[in-house]
Amino acid sequence: LSQLAPQKFPGYVQGYDPRPYNPAKAKELLAAAGYPSGFKTRILATSGGQDPVAGIKAYLSEVGIDVTIDIADLGRYFGEVFGTGWTDDLVFSASGINPDGTDLFVHFGPEPMTYRTGNIYKSPEYLALCEQALHTYDDAAAVEIIKQAVKQAGEDAMVIPIYRSATNAIMQPYVHSDYFVIHGVIWTSYDDWMEPH
């Protein structure tokens, strides 16, 4: 992913890629920030995130960033990420994508249902856009504000999106449900329906 929104998401901003792969630019930015030889950091993850985090570690090592991977059991991981907050460095985490774009507020808005720890920096500009979208009742107008929020999140480096994994399910063709599209965590059962069969 190049942005917080995947391509099928209503808030996707066509052509927006704030961080294209560029190790030379990364080294330049590190030197300008006072780390010409890189630095050491830690990435908190679960065993399910081992492979992607190993890839991230390899990319970061190319520019001199020495990463220690901290594989946590689920209790410690979820306690830190969604409870007390991780104490330092980075965390590899997952975020669901709701088809209507509301997960910007659900996960990362002014009063998130998840990531309530305050560890993720949210600029006043981003939070203002979330508030504006929450109080915009015209769908097309709300999507335009959500796109601005997606860009602001990218400019702020609020999160660095890595990839989107698709899920699938075997269902009869007469069954209609967004349950799997919404990632199986939020179920709007009132949107489910079944054709006569």
Side-chain angles (χ1 to χ4, degrees):
L1 297 175
S2 63
Q3 55 188 275
L4 196 55
Q7 286 183 331
K8 301 292 183 187
F9 181 87
Y12 179 75
V13 182
Q14 189 68 39
Y16 179 64
D17 186 1
R19 279 167 202 84
Y21 179 72
N22 188 338
K25 180 69 173 175
K27 288 179 181 179
E28 180 184 313
L29 290 170
L30 282 166
Y35 299 99
S37 301
F39 58 88
K40 293 183 178 201
T41 191
R42 172 182 75 110
I43 298 179
L44 177 68
T46 65
S47 59
Q50 254 177 312
D51 289 345
V53 171
I56 294 167
K57 176 178 178 164
Y59 282 126
L60 292 176
S61 71
E62 291 179 19
V63 297
I65 300 174
D66 181 14
V67 173
T68 299
I69 299 173
D70 179 5
I71 300 298
D73 64 75
L74 293 178
R76 180 166 67 92
Y77 177 85
F78 284 108
E80 287 192 38
V81 175
F82 296 106
T84 59
W86 61 96
T87 55
D88 52 16
D89 301 324
L90 305 171
V91 67
F92 180 78
S93 187
S95 170
I97 300 295
N98 298 342
D100 60 2
T102 56
D103 60 302
L104 279 182
F105 332 121
V106 171
H107 299 306
F108 305 111
E111 295 181 28
M113 292 172 65
T114 58
Y115 301 105
R116 299 184 65 86
T117 62
N119 291 56
I120 298 174
Y121 172 76
K122 300 165 192 167
S123 70
E125 295 83 4
Y126 173 80
L127 292 173
L129 287 165
C130 285
E131 283 289 348
Q132 187 180 354
L134 273 168
H135 296 96
T136 300
Y137 304 104
D138 174 75
D139 288 348
V143 165
E144 290 309 309
I145 298 165
I146 289 170
K147 286 181 180 182
Q148 292 174 45
V150 165
K151 280 189 83 169
Q152 187 64 53
E155 297 304 309
D156 295 342
M158 188 174 83
V159 296
I160 307 298
I162 306 295
Y163 66 91
R164 165 97 164 105
S165 58
T167 58
N168 56 34
I170 298 171
M171 292 174 20
Q172 294 291 344
Y174 52 80
V175 176
H176 301 269
S177 176
D178 279 341
Y179 179 68
F180 293 98
V181 178
I182 298 175
H183 61 78
V185 173
I186 298 170
W187 184 14
T188 56
S189 55
Y190 47 83
D191 287 329
D192 292 358
W193 60 285
M194 191 180 303
E195 298 172 19
H197 61 282

